[in-house]
Amino acid sequence: MKARILPSFVFIVAVVSLSSSTLVAQVVPSPTPTGPEVSVASDHSPDTSSGEKLTRDQAEQIALRNNPRISVSHLLALAQHQVVRESRSAELPQLNGSITAEAAHDASRVASGTLADSRLFQHAGGGVAFSQLITDFGHTANLVASSKMQERAQNANEVATREDIILATDQAFYNALQAQALLQVARQTVTTRQSTQGQINQLTQNNLRSTLDLTFANVNVSQAQLLQLDAASNANATMAALDEVLGLDHVVQYDLSDSTTAAPPPPPDVDVLTQLALKQRPDLASLDYNRQAEQKLSRAQQDQKYPTITALGTVGATPVRPGQYFTSSWDGGIAANVSVPIFNGFLFSSQASEAGLRASAADAQRRQLRNRIIRDVRTTWLDANNAFVRIGVTDQLLNQSNQSLSLAKTRYQLGLASIVELSQAQLQQTEADISHTDAEYQYRLALAALNYQTGSLP
């Protein structure tokens, strides 16, 4: 949620300090000022001074530890590693042990059923059978290579997820920090305007100012209280968003703290940033690995039409046997088997075509993401430059509005200006203060987004 509070009313209050000596001259103090005295409930405003201190780096570390998306991406990467082992198992020897005890009418024949021997004997024995793939002309090797590429893609997705979480944490942190800063502005505004309201009320009761001035002062106080309510609500909402990104299942009010040093200007050369992004973006690397995995799978499916050569062997013993039929207690043998696919209803050709089409689609997706990265880097760089320029412009605007407010106060004290002119100067000063605060944090957000687009986040 973007922490931005813009005034929508005509007469808004400013963060100014008007001492009683500047407005009160020959005034008899009034015991009770008139006008609206609306109390803004502080129970709904986050206390930014008593919470646990939290810096942006600490927030990033907490999010990387607690956010469920990090665990999901890591577990999927571990699962994909097991897929590689599953594919490689076809290249390794296959050993199977068995123990068989059989009761039968000796030398009888199998007429039907599932027993493998053509002649049955009463016996008991055990043994080990093994098989070893000699070659399938690249089918299994390409399957293993495809699963390895999928593992690399999932590892890149894990890195991309980490960067997503870091960016989301930075955005939530700066939004909450900005909201808390604007809340402090609103609180100070309410305090200042209530004090000014009391002073104008005394002047009005002593016939030094008109009732219109008091009415404007009352309106300004009410509008300041509305501004504080909106700021408090926004601060609570942004803090809830930050807690969610941090992986917390309960509300924690933090005292956010950021570096006081000025943010550096954006990099001057966008082309360098674009090339850096194309090299470092993990999501682009993930799609590239997916494309290579689909290409390997396509080759593996094409290789299914070639023969498969396998070595077979068995060895065992038959301690319980009819002697007239079993001349030895040991048995064993070795063989080579060649399996040649002839026709299977176009299954292999269809699988190869499917894999080839998916490989082409993966390549198109990669090119689409590459073009989008180039666009996003350029637009984010432009946004960062614009936000950096806004800092200087809003700083100049704030200085000018402070001078304008000072002159308006002097004119009002001398009776040369009305309360409308003073209220308008307060409006301009408050808008300038809010704009300058907004520009500072929006630039930091723009830098974080630019680092994300170039793959330069920690």
Side-chain angles (χ1 to χ4, degrees), residues 98-266:
S98 61
I99 298 176
T100 302
E102 181 179 319
H105 179 66
D106 288 346
S108 61
R109 300 285 182 179
V110 178
S112 63
T114 59
L115 294 177
D117 293 336
S118 60
R119 300 178 66 189
L120 303 180
F121 299 94
Q122 182 169 319
H123 71 283
V128 176
F130 74 94
S131 64
Q132 171 64 58
L133 175 67
I134 297 177
T135 181
D136 56 4
F137 298 94
H139 172 66
T140 300
N142 284 317
L143 287 178
V144 173
S146 177
S147 60
K148 286 181 178 179
M149 290 300 172
Q150 290 287 359
E151 181 186 16
R152 292 181 182 179
Q154 190 58 52
N155 289 335
N157 283 336
E158 182 180 4
V159 176
T161 301
R162 288 174 58 88
E163 294 194 356
D164 288 343
I165 295 301
I166 291 176
L167 177 62
T169 303
D170 290 349
Q171 290 175 333
F173 181 87
Y174 284 126
N175 286 340
L177 192 63
Q178 180 182 1
Q180 291 185 2
L182 293 176
L183 178 58
Q184 293 299 328
V185 171
R187 285 173 173 171
Q188 182 60 39
T189 298
V190 170
T191 301
T192 302
R193 296 317 301 158
Q194 285 177 342
S195 176
T196 303
Q197 178 200 42
Q199 297 166 8
I200 295 180
N201 176 67
Q202 292 178 346
L203 292 172
T204 303
Q205 290 185 355
N206 288 277
N207 297 322
L208 297 177
R209 288 291 184 270
S210 66
T211 306
L212 178 62
D213 290 19
L214 180 59
T215 303
F216 273 114
N218 293 339
V219 170
N220 285 341
V221 170
S222 298
Q223 290 173 341
Q225 291 167 342
L226 290 175
L227 177 64
Q228 181 178 347
L229 288 174
D230 291 341
S233 176
N234 193 42
N236 285 326
T238 54
M239 187 57 67
L242 178 60
D243 290 337
E244 189 273 334
V245 173
L246 296 182
L248 304 178
D249 58 358
H250 57 282
V251 177
V252 179
Q253 293 293 345
Y254 289 104
D255 181 11
L256 304 181
S257 175
D258 193 29
S259 174
T260 57
T261 58

Side-chain angles (χ1 to χ4, degrees), residues 9 88 258 283 355 444:
F9 37 78
R88 188 182 292 139
D258 193 29
D283 49 350
R444 294 182 182 271

